[in-house]
Amino acid sequence: PEWLIARAHAPVTDLRLVTSDRPGGDAPRMVMAVDPYRVVGGDRITIYAPHFADSWGPDSVVEGGCGGSEEAIVYLSAALARAGREVCVFGPYRPPGGLEVRDGVCWRHLDQFSFDDDHGILIAHRAPWVSNLPQLADRPVWIWHHDHEYGDPHGWTAAGAARARHLFVSQWQRESLAMQAGVKLEGAVIENGVPVENYVGEWRDRDAHRVVYISQPHRGLLGLLAAWP
């Protein structure tokens, strides 16, 4: 796959190994698509996602489902690629060919990741402990916060938190984590990467006075009940 990308004369938008499920079917083949009109420039961006409950990948949003934190990676990485950035995601998905490109985003397995490599701008998803690593002290590191708090078991320190920059899903989370860490956390609030328009059609046939809460109670249930009309 690396050789194909290097030989392409335009940005690669799709690259995958296609195999047949039928006994004696077609031999495995590489399929690649390019976009000659897409301009790639600016900083490279690497999203590192080492923590997860179930394995997931670029197809999990539409096949089998995955958590909202994982969906956010799929949507944000594709949006960054459309904006012309070179984006790579390291996660639990193991591409059959060792590397895949989906919607302009390169996908690799966690086994292929090394902190000693140059990743451009590194975004550590659910991994605030990354900010403590000495080999990253002089490199651009962003910590993407989701469902965790400051300190154990995530192992981040006030010094590491102050050195990195941060992505928050809400202003409340930003203020809460800064208060727990005791330092100012530089960064931005980007909310969750879930396109609400995907659910507009389904809402019309649902009971507007009934809600099913499927998360843990401490993750917003009291606030929801207080705001419920």
Side-chain angles (χ1 to χ4, degrees), residues 108-179:
R108 291 179 179 270
H109 189 263
L110 288 166
D111 290 347
Q112 299 173 294
F113 183 87
S114 172
F115 286 109
D116 295 325
D117 294 338
D118 181 9
H119 296 289
I121 296 175
L122 177 62
I123 300 177
H125 179 267
R126 272 184 174 157
W129 53 268
V130 169
S131 63
N132 296 331
L133 299 178
Q135 62 265 52
L136 301 179
D138 298 324
R139 300 185 186 181
V141 176
W142 287 74
I143 306 300
W144 194 355
H145 299 281
H146 283 275
D147 48 355
H148 57 256
E149 297 181 353
Y150 177 81
D152 293 335
H154 305 282
W156 61 318
T157 63
R163 183 168 58 242
R165 304 195 74 183
H166 303 264
L167 297 175
F168 308 96
V169 296
S170 69
Q171 184 62 33
W172 175 88
Q173 184 191 54
R174 180 177 194 166
E175 296 171 355
S176 175
L177 290 176
M179 181 176 63

Side-chain angles (χ1 to χ4, degrees), residues 27-42:
R29 65 189 188 280
M30 296 299 300
V31 176
M32 181 172 70
V34 299
D35 182 358
Y37 300 103
R38 188 165 69 93
V39 178
V40 177

Side-chain angles (χ1 to χ4, degrees), residues 1-7 15 17 30 32 97-100 108:
E2 291 89 343
W3 180 85
L4 284 173
I5 292 176
R7 297 286 293 179
L15 176 68
L17 178 67
M30 296 299 300
M32 181 172 70
L99 176 153
E100 284 188 3
R108 291 179 179 270

Side-chain angles (χ1 to χ4, degrees), residues 2 5 43-49 56 73 76-78 80-81 85-91 93 95 98-110 112-113 117-125 144:
E2 291 89 343
I5 292 176
D43 297 314
R44 291 184 297 108
I45 298 174
T46 302
I47 300 177
Y48 173 61
W56 62 278
I73 293 180
L76 179 63
S77 61
L80 290 170
R85 297 303 182 96
E86 181 182 342
V87 186
C88 185
V89 175
F90 286 86
Y93 174 64
L99 176 153
E100 284 188 3
V101 178
R102 303 289 190 89
D103 297 321
V105 178
C106 174
W107 288 81
R108 291 179 179 270
H109 189 263
L110 288 166
Q112 299 173 294
F113 183 87
D117 294 338
D118 181 9
H119 296 289
I121 296 175
L122 177 62
I123 300 177
H125 179 267
W144 194 355

